[in-house]
Structures are given as C-alpha cells and as structure tokens.
Amino acid sequence: MGFRLKVEGQETIELGLDNIQTVIYDTDTPDDSNARSTDVGSTLRISGKIITAVDGDSADDTLKLALWSLVPAEKADSYRKVTLEVIAADQVVRKVHFPNAFVVDYNEHFGDTEGVGAFTLYIKQKKDKTELATIDGGYPV
C-alpha cells in the first residue's frame, strides 16, 4: 500500500510513496446530535518521513508543507487544492479531493535515533464548501 499527496496553490507540493506512511480520513459531525446533522466537516491526518537530499537528489516537499502551515488566514493561498491517493496493487483504492483545504496543525519530530525525522499534517476542507469534497476509487493507476 502506498500514498500520493498533491497540494496545488501558488506552488505545487508533492509527496509520494517514500514519504507518507499513514493516512486517516475523518468525516466530522457533532457527537451530541440526535439526528443527522448539517454541520459536517472532512479532515485528513497524514504522517510520514522527512527525506533528506542525498547524492544530488532534490529534497522532499515537507519543507513546503511547513511553510504552507505558516500562511495567515487573511491570504487566499492559505486555502489550497489537495488530492490524496491511496494505492494498493496498482489500483487507486481511494482518491480524496479537498478543493479548499487549510492546515489545522503541522508537526515535525526529530530525534537522534529515528533517522532524519517525521511529520504530521492535519488538514480540513473549508466547512462551507464541504459538498465540493469528493471521494473516488476502484480504478487502475
């Protein structure tokens, strides 16, 4: 199983099979509701490895993720198009698309025994545009 992430805005951010280790998709509704709520949100929590540049290779785009997390809400670029693909046996199991995603939290973890480092990206689709989020799957890569 593998994952591909593409974030499109003023610049394109791409992470692939080498970076991403786990993904959690969540449909978020109020827990205290007694009927189907209209207050629905969608989130993605993506975790993986930070890969350093070696032997002339370019560095991964995790630095660009960190910089995106710093963009203030007043700027249009704080919202970006995000597409995440979950791939197994050369087939796209899930393709999640958030056309108006923003960063809720971004963390990087470093230690002297874990290798280069790890990251966690937590994003949400803008709540008033939840109906524009899509989930597809079941087709060849």
Side-chain angles (χ1 to χ4, degrees):
M1 171 126 1
F3 308 96
R4 278 195 301 241
L5 176 70
K6 185 173 187 178
V7 180
E8 299 172 270
Q10 285 185 345
E11 63 183 347
T12 300
I13 302 169
E14 293 184 284
L15 297 178
L17 307 173
D18 294 336
N19 290 99
I20 302 171
Q21 295 175 312
T22 61
V23 173
I24 298 171
Y25 169 81
D26 188 37
T27 298
D28 185 29
T29 59
D31 294 334
D32 60 352
S33 179
N34 291 325
R36 180 63 175 156
S37 175
T38 57
D39 186 18
V40 178
S42 296
T43 66
L44 279 171
R45 189 175 304 268
I46 302 163
S47 300
K49 307 182 279 194
I50 296 170
I51 300 173
T52 189
V54 228
D55 296 330
D57 292 339
S58 58
D60 66 15
D61 281 355
T62 52
L63 176 59
K64 291 179 184 178
L65 287 178
L67 295 173
W68 177 31
S69 73
L70 297 174
V71 176
E74 298 83 28
K75 295 199 175 190
D77 197 42
S78 64
Y79 294 98
R80 297 186 183 182
K81 284 192 252 181
V82 172
T83 304
L84 177 87
E85 293 178 335
V86 180
I87 302 161
D90 291 329
Q91 189 168 10
V92 175
V93 178
R94 290 287 182 274
K95 184 175 185 178
V96 179
H97 179 69
F98 289 175
N100 303 94
F102 64 95
V103 177
V104 176
D105 286 315
Y106 180 77
N107 300 297
E108 291 185 347
H109 313 278
F110 301 96
D112 62 354
T113 59
E114 293 92 15
V116 176
F119 72 92
T120 301
L121 173 68
Y122 181 44
I123 58 173
K124 283 186 176 183
Q125 166 65 10
K126 191 173 186 219
K127 200 172 254 189
D128 65 342
K129 306 237 186 229
T130 299
E131 71 277 357
L132 300 176
T134 59
I135 304 172
D136 300 313
Y139 49 88
V141 172

